[in-house]
Amino acid sequence: MNRPDTPHTEDAAPLTRADRIADAALTLLAERGMRGLTHRAVDETAGLPQGSTSNHARTRLALLEAAVRRLAVREGQVLSVDELPDPAGGLASLIDGMALALHRYLTHHPQLLVCRYELALEATRRPELRTFFDETGRQFRDPLTTLLRAAGSSAPERHTLSLVAWTEGIMFSSVAGSFHASPPTLPALRAGYTELLNGMLPQ
């Protein structure tokens, strides 16, 4: 399995040691699953001296929290929620922005989704991680609710749930489910969001 893509540009600042550790943790989650995530393996994957990860995150929970926090940053860079079109631009513009963001995630960063599922399942067994995982998730849900409200939704919270559930269903089906061999095209995603949002928002 390929490693999760790390966003880099020529002008990007060098990664901090904390980010290198968290990125290595995500790589291990994608390649080996939860059992392969150890402090020693993170050191090796990040190319750091033994003990570096333990100094940064002494417990397994601390390491998992670092991975969740970094995953939220990486997903934010891919999905670019803050860059979605202004609702004033019309429904077509909103649909296009959402479809492009999801298509970019599915086609270029599928391993990040594998990390998300590994961490989400682990959170069901660790209440402390569950709270942390849910808090980071709000950075995506809250802007979406604001976006839907501005677009004229009569029930923005409920519509956010429906939209997130549909999007996450597409993600799972395309990466780990029965459609993994044929993920939806950009036009198919546009059509799906069109059908959803036409039922939610005033025309």
Side-chain angles (χ1 to χ4, degrees), residues 16-175:
T16 65
R17 175 168 289 201
D19 287 343
R20 287 175 63 189
I21 287 171
D23 279 338
L26 294 178
T27 293
L28 288 166
L29 286 171
E31 292 182 347
R32 307 180 192 176
M34 195 59 65
R35 290 185 177 181
L37 181 64
T38 66
H39 286 72
R40 178 180 292 275
V42 171
D43 286 338
E44 293 173 354
T45 302
L48 294 171
Q50 287 296 323
S52 298
T53 300
S54 294
N55 287 335
H56 173 68
R58 292 193 175 278
T59 66
R60 183 169 178 79
L61 178 61
L63 181 57
L64 291 170
E65 288 178 348
V68 170
R69 185 164 48 246
R70 183 62 177 162
L71 177 63
V73 171
R74 299 275 298 277
E75 286 188 322
Q77 292 169 335
V78 175
L79 295 174
S80 302
V81 175
D82 293 338
E83 297 177 8
L84 286 175
D86 190 318
L91 186 58
S93 178
L94 181 58
I95 288 168
D96 194 53
M98 296 179 73
L100 283 170
L102 180 55
H103 188 258
R104 182 168 60 240
Y105 200 169
L106 293 176
T107 54
H108 297 297
H109 305 276
Q111 275 66 47
L112 283 181
L113 281 170
V114 176
C115 297
R116 170 197 273 259
Y117 300 138
E118 289 283 352
L119 290 166
L121 287 173
E122 186 67 11
T124 65
R125 297 181 285 268
R126 288 177 176 264
E128 317 94 315
L129 187 62
R130 177 81 267 169
T131 300
F132 197 80
F133 194 87
D134 289 347
E135 286 175 356
T136 59
R138 290 192 183 95
Q139 72 171 310
F140 301 106
R141 294 197 309 272
D142 291 349
L144 186 55
T145 300
T146 300
L147 199 65
L148 289 171
R149 183 179 290 111
S153 167
S154 60
E157 289 81 10
R158 178 166 55 81
H159 287 161
T160 296
L161 172 60
S162 296
L163 201 57
V164 168
W166 185 86
T167 300
E168 290 189 341
I170 291 291
M171 288 176 170
F172 184 85
S173 295
S174 301
V175 172

